Structure formats: C-alpha cells, structure tokens
Amino acid sequence: MRKLDDTELDAIRAALEHDREYAHRETAALHRVEQWRERLIGEGDAALTELLQEFPSADRQHLRQLARNARLEREQNKPLHAFHELFRALRGLLDAAQT
C-alpha cells in the first residue's frame, strides 16, 4: 500500500467508508425490527395498531398470530419458531417499505 498514490488510497478509503455506512444502516434496521418484535410480543394489540398506522399494508391477522405464538413460546420455554418467523415477517415489511 505504500506504493499507491493518493488517488488510489482515496478510492480505497471511500470504499471502506461506504461499507462502514452500509453496516451501520443494516445494524440500525435490525435493531428497529427487534424493537418492533419485542413491542408486539410485550404490548400486543396496542403495538400492532401503531405498527399498522406506520405500515398499512401489513397483514394484521398474521402478525397478531405470530406475536401471540411467540409470547406463548417464551412463556412455556419452547423452541422459538414463531419468534423467528415474526422477525422475518417484520424484516420483510420494513424492507418493502424502504424500497
């Protein structure tokens, strides 16, 4: 790298910065999905109503069922299938809204 000129080094720095910004955006998106998931499990219909106001195209019944099943899984210490499925559904919903 010592033999590279300034323009080549600037291009490398720009690419690294772009990757860093992308990683930060991805992390923020994952945190947002996790927050919605926790709210849906913990708060139930109140959180679902708020989510539907922000994302009117969401499937109310499907999300309600996943949240209810995830809550039961957690309470009964069962494998977290609905918990993960709820995450995937929310991730798809938020991703679709961004595009």
Side-chain angles (χ1 to χ4, degrees):
M1 295 209 42
R2 291 180 186 176
K3 295 181 181 185
L4 297 176
D5 64 19
D6 288 339
T7 58
E8 292 171 321
L9 290 174
D10 288 341
I12 292 171
R13 285 186 192 106
L16 290 173
E17 184 62 30
H18 179 267
D19 289 347
R20 189 175 304 120
E21 289 173 7
Y22 176 78
H24 287 294
R25 283 192 306 274
E26 277 297 305
T27 301
L30 291 176
H31 287 297
R32 187 167 183 225
V33 171
E34 289 170 346
Q35 288 170 345
W36 273 117
R37 177 178 59 187
E38 288 304 316
R39 287 193 60 202
L40 288 172
I41 293 170
E43 299 173 25
D45 285 340
L48 182 59
T49 300
E50 190 176 327
L51 179 75
L52 291 170
Q53 288 173 350
E54 190 171 338
F55 304 100
S57 66
D59 184 350
R60 171 187 291 272
Q61 197 61 32
H62 183 63
L63 291 172
R64 178 184 286 139
Q65 180 181 5
L66 288 173
R68 183 176 41 240
N69 290 345
R71 189 177 314 109
L72 289 173
E73 288 172 351
R74 185 180 280 175
E75 291 169 358
Q76 298 172 0
N77 292 323
K78 290 187 174 184
L80 302 176
H81 299 293
F83 184 79
H84 297 299
E85 181 61 31
L86 180 58
F87 181 90
R88 285 189 292 272
L90 289 169
R91 179 67 193 242
L93 180 65
L94 272 66
D95 285 349
Q98 287 180 346
T99 57

